Amino acid sequence: MDDAPILSASNEAALAERVARLETQVAALQRALAGQTLPVKRVVAAAPPPPTVAFASIEPAAPKRDLESRLGSEVLSKIAILLLLVGSAWFLKWAFDNRWVGPAGRVLIGLAAGSGLIVWSERFRRTGTPSFSYALKAVGTGVLYLSLWASFQLFHLVPAPVALLGMVLVTAWNATMAVLQESPLLAAYALTGAYLTPALLSSGGNHEAFLFGYLAAVAAAVLALQRARRWPLLLLGPLPATVLYVTMWGFSWSQESPLSETLCLTLILWAIFAAVPLLAADDESALVQVVLPLLTAFFGGLAVYGFLEVGHARQWEPWAALLFAAAYLVATRWRSRAAASAIHLSIAIAFITIAIPLKLTGHGISLAWLAESVALLWIATMPTLEPRASAAVRWMGVVAMLLGVGGATFAPEIFGSTTKSIFHHGFGTEIGALIVLAAVMMLAPRMARALRRAPDPAFIGILAFALFNIVLCIAAFRQINHMLQYRAGDDGHIQELRSFAYSGWLAVQGTAMLVAGFMKRVALARWTGLLLLAATLLKVVFYDMRTLSTGFRIVSYLALGALLLAVSFAYQKGFLNLGGVLQDDEDPA
C-alpha cells in the first residue's frame, strides 16, 4: 500500500478556493497598473550638505547713520571743542590784560592747558577719531612749546637750559607716542616742534656748538625713527630745516668761528643724513635711495665750499671735493642695492668732475675731463659692475666727454690766441680731444658686447664720431686762420685764400670719411663723408662763386667736380652696396 498522503475532498476544495482568490487579486492589480509607467531608479550623486552657519557669530549690521545723526554726533562736537578753546583763549587774554594772573601763573596755566589737551586727546583716539585726536595733540604741544618759550624769552623765569630741556622732553614724548601708536602724523608734529625749538630759544648770539649739536641730535633721532618705522616722507623736513639753520648761522657768524670747528660740525651733520640710505631696508623707496643722497651731497658740498670760501682757504676746495668723492665711492661698496649703489657712484664721479676745475686752470681742465670720460667709459665695460651702476657710469662719462669737448672747442675763444707758435692756441687740447673721441669710438663695440641689448653704447659711439668730425673741422679752420692771420700782404687776398682753404679742407675731410667708410664697411662714416661733400658743394656754388677770384674759382670747380666724379664712380662700380640701410655684416658705429 502506498505511503503518500491523500488529500481529502474538503482540503481540495479549500485549496482551489485560495488559488481562485489569488488569481482574482492578480488580475485586479494588472488592471490597476494598466497604462501607467513605472519609475526608473537612477543613481544620483549625493549633494554636499549645506554649510553650517553659526548664526550666533553673525553680528547685526550697524544701522546706517543719516546726515542728522552725523552732524549731531561728530560735527557739532568738533565745533563745540573749537568754541571752547577760542573762548578759553579769550578769557585768558582778558585775565592777562587785567593783570589777574602774573607771569608765573600764565606759564603754569599754559603748561596745564597743553598737558590737559594732550591727555584729553587720547579719549578721541580710543573712540575711533584718531585724526581729531592728533589735531588736539598738535594744539596741546604748541601750547607747551609757547609756554616754555614765554617762560624764557618773555618773562625770564627760567634759564635757557631749563627751557631747552622742557622742549626736548615734549618732543621726545611726541616721538615716543608716534612710534607706539604708529602715527607718522604725530611724528611730523614732533619734528616740527623739534626744529622750532632753536628759533624759539634764540637769543641772537653765536652758539655754534649748541646749534650744530642740537641739529645733529635731532638728525640722529630722525635716522632712528626712519630705521624703526620706515616713514620716508618725514625726511622731507629735517634736511631742509638743517640747511636753513646752517645757512642762516653761516651768514651771521661763520667769519667769527674757527674754520676747523665749523667744518667738523658740518661734516657730522652731513654724515648723519648720508647714513640714512646706507642703513635703510633693501626695498626702501626712491625718496630714500635716490633723492635723499642727492640732496645730502648738495648740502655737504655747498656748505663746505662756502665755509672754505669765507675762511679764505680756497686751496683746500679741490681736496674737499676729492674727499667727498672718496666717501661716496666707499658708500657704493657698503651694500649691494642697485639704485643706491648707482646714485652713490654718480655722486662720487660728480665730485671728481667738480674737483678738476677747482684744482686745474685753462686747458688742463678740458684735458682732465677728457681723460676722466675715457676712464669712466672703460669702467662701465667691466662685467662685475651692477647694471644700474654701469648705466650711471656711462652717462657720467658722456657728461665728462661733453665738458671736455666743450672746453677744447670754446677755450681758444675764451683764452685768446698767441703768435709765438706755429700752431694756434689750444691746438694741443683739440688734438687731445680727438684722441679721446677716437678711444671712445673704439670702446663702443666693447661696451656693446658687454652690455648686449643696451642701446647706450651705439648712441655713445655715434655721438663720439659726430663730435670727432666737428672738433676736427674746428681745429683745421682755426689752424688755417692762424697761419694766414699774420701773413703779410693784401687783406682781401688773405680772405680769399682762407675761404678757398676752408672749402679744400671740407673736401679732404669728406673724402677721408668716405674712404674710411668703404675700407671699414661703416655706413655712418660714408654718410658723414657725403654730408661733408654736400656742404663743400653748397659752399663752392653759393659762396665761393661770389667771393673767390677767377683762378680760385676754376680750381675749386675742377677739383670738386673731379672728386665727386670719383665718388660717383666708386658707387656705380658697387664697391659697397648701401641700399639705404646698414648691411648685416656692417658695424653700425
Side-chain angles (χ1 to χ4, degrees):
M1 189 173 178
D2 189 4
D3 293 334
I6 300 174
L7 295 175
S8 60
S10 58
N11 290 337
E12 290 180 356
L15 182 60
E17 183 180 357
R18 291 180 61 186
V19 171
R21 190 167 53 250
L22 289 173
E23 290 179 350
T24 303
Q25 292 177 353
V26 170
L29 287 174
Q30 289 178 348
R31 286 193 301 270
L33 295 176
Q36 295 185 8
T37 303
L38 293 177
V40 179
K41 186 176 182 181
R42 299 180 180 177
V43 179
V44 181
T52 304
V53 180
F55 292 97
S57 65
I58 298 180
E59 298 180 0
K64 186 176 181 179
R65 303 174 64 186
D66 56 6
L67 179 62
E68 179 184 357
S69 61
R70 289 200 302 271
L71 288 174
S73 61
E74 298 179 7
V75 178
L76 291 183
S77 63
K78 294 178 175 61
I79 295 176
I81 292 172
L82 181 62
L83 291 176
L84 289 174
L85 291 175
V86 174
S88 301
W90 279 104
F91 172 76
L92 290 175
K93 183 180 183 304
W94 185 43
F96 295 160
D97 292 341
N98 288 278
R99 301 184 182 276
W100 295 350
V101 182
R106 299 178 189 181
V107 172
L108 292 176
I109 290 175
L111 294 175
S115 303
L117 286 174
I118 293 173
V119 173
W120 190 28
S121 67
E122 284 297 302
R123 174 181 177 275
F124 293 95
R125 187 181 65 86
R126 289 191 295 268
T127 56
T129 54
S131 59
F132 187 69
S133 170
Y134 297 144
L136 283 180
K137 282 187 175 68
V139 174
T141 301
V143 172
L144 291 177
Y145 276 116
L146 290 176
S147 301
L148 292 170
W149 168 77
S151 67
F152 164 72
Q153 198 72 270
L154 293 182
F155 306 130
H156 307 289
L157 299 176
V158 296
V162 175
L164 173 65
L165 178 61
M167 292 184 179
V168 169
L169 290 176
V170 173
T171 302
W173 184 89
N174 274 337
T176 303
M177 295 301 293
V179 173
L180 295 178
Q181 299 177 7
E182 298 186 353
S183 170
L185 183 61
L186 191 55
Y189 292 153
L191 289 178
T192 302
Y195 283 103
L196 283 175
T197 298
L200 294 175
L201 297 181
S202 176
S203 59
N206 181 16
H207 305 288
E208 178 187 13
F210 167 76
L211 175 63
F212 281 70
Y214 178 82
L215 293 175
V218 177
V222 173
L223 174 60
L225 190 63
Q226 171 64 21
R227 181 68 177 170
R229 284 294 181 265
R230 297 177 62 184
W231 293 329
L233 292 179
L234 293 181
L235 299 171
L236 295 177
L239 184 57
T242 302
V243 172
L244 178 62
Y245 276 116
V246 172
T247 304
M248 293 176 63
W249 177 89
F251 281 127
S252 302
W253 305 104
S254 58
Q255 295 181 351
E256 301 181 10
S257 299
L259 179 61
S260 58
E261 179 182 347
T262 301
L263 291 177
C264 289
L265 294 173
T266 303
L267 290 175
I268 290 173
L269 287 173
W270 164 80
I272 293 174
F273 285 106
V276 174
L278 298 178
L279 301 178
D282 292 340
D283 57 344
E284 195 56 83
S285 64
L287 176 64
V288 176
Q289 295 194 31
V290 178
V291 178
L292 184 63
L294 289 174
L295 295 179
T296 303
F298 183 77
F299 157 66
L302 193 60
V304 171
Y305 177 82
F307 291 139
L308 288 174
E309 192 77 14
V310 172
H312 304 288
R314 296 180 179 178
Q315 68 275 14
W316 294 103
E317 291 173 358
W319 300 110
L322 291 177
L323 288 176
F324 274 114
Y328 279 103
L329 284 175
V330 173
T332 60
R333 309 303 301 171
W334 183 271
R335 298 179 72 172
S336 60
R337 290 191 305 272
S341 177
I343 199 66
H344 283 118
L345 185 58
S346 301
I347 293 173
I349 296 170
F351 273 113
I352 294 174
T353 307
I354 293 172
I356 291 174
L358 292 176
K359 184 63 178 175
L360 301 176
T361 57
H363 294 286
I365 299 174
S366 302
L367 293 174
W369 276 335
L370 290 169
E372 180 190 4
S373 68
V374 175
L376 293 177
L377 293 174
W378 178 76
I379 293 172
T381 62
M382 294 183 177
T384 57
L385 200 62
E386 194 274 332
R388 293 190 187 180
S390 177
V393 172
R394 286 198 306 276
W395 286 109
M396 293 298 291
V398 171
V399 172
M401 180 177 68
L402 293 175
L403 289 173
V405 170
T409 304
F410 297 106
E413 299 296 334
I414 296 174
F415 297 108
S417 60
T418 178
T419 61
K420 297 180 181 181
S421 173
I422 299 176
F423 301 103
H424 69 275
H425 186 69
F427 184 77
T429 307
E430 293 167 345
I431 294 299
L434 293 174
I435 295 173
V436 167
L437 292 171
V440 172
M441 286 187 284
M442 290 187 291
L443 278 175
R446 178 175 176 178
M447 284 190 289
R449 289 191 299 269
L451 304 172
R452 295 180 183 177
R453 298 182 180 178
D456 298 350
F459 170 77
I460 294 173
I462 294 172
L463 177 63
F465 184 80
L467 292 175
F468 181 89
N469 282 276
I470 293 173
V471 174
L472 183 58
C473 270
I474 293 175
F477 289 173
R478 283 182 177 153
Q479 185 61 27
I480 292 171
N481 183 68
H482 177 74
M483 294 178 67
L484 297 176
Q485 185 175 3
Y486 302 99
R487 181 185 176 95
D490 182 42
D491 291 339
H493 179 70
I494 293 175
Q495 180 67 28
E496 188 179 33
L497 187 60
R498 181 186 295 115
S499 180
F500 176 77
Y502 285 170
S503 300
W505 178 259
L506 285 175
V508 169
Q509 185 174 341
T511 304
M513 290 296 107
L514 274 175
V515 172
F518 278 117
M519 294 180 62
K520 298 297 183 181
R521 299 181 64 83
V522 178
L524 180 61
R526 297 192 303 273
W527 280 106
T528 303
L530 291 175
L531 289 175
L532 289 171
L533 291 178
T536 307
L537 178 63
L538 292 175
K539 183 177 182 299
V540 168
V541 172
F542 293 101
Y543 181 79
D544 293 348
M545 188 175 63
R546 293 184 296 106
T547 59
L548 296 182
S549 63
T550 305
F552 281 120
R553 197 180 307 167
I554 293 172
V555 174
S556 299
Y557 273 73
L558 290 178
L560 183 59
L563 179 60
L564 294 179
L565 186 62
V567 173
S568 175
F569 178 76
Y571 276 93
Q572 291 177 13
K573 294 297 291 184
F575 289 164
L576 186 61
N577 182 25
L578 293 178
V581 295
L582 293 176
Q583 301 298 317
D584 294 337
D585 58 344
E586 291 184 356
D587 185 356

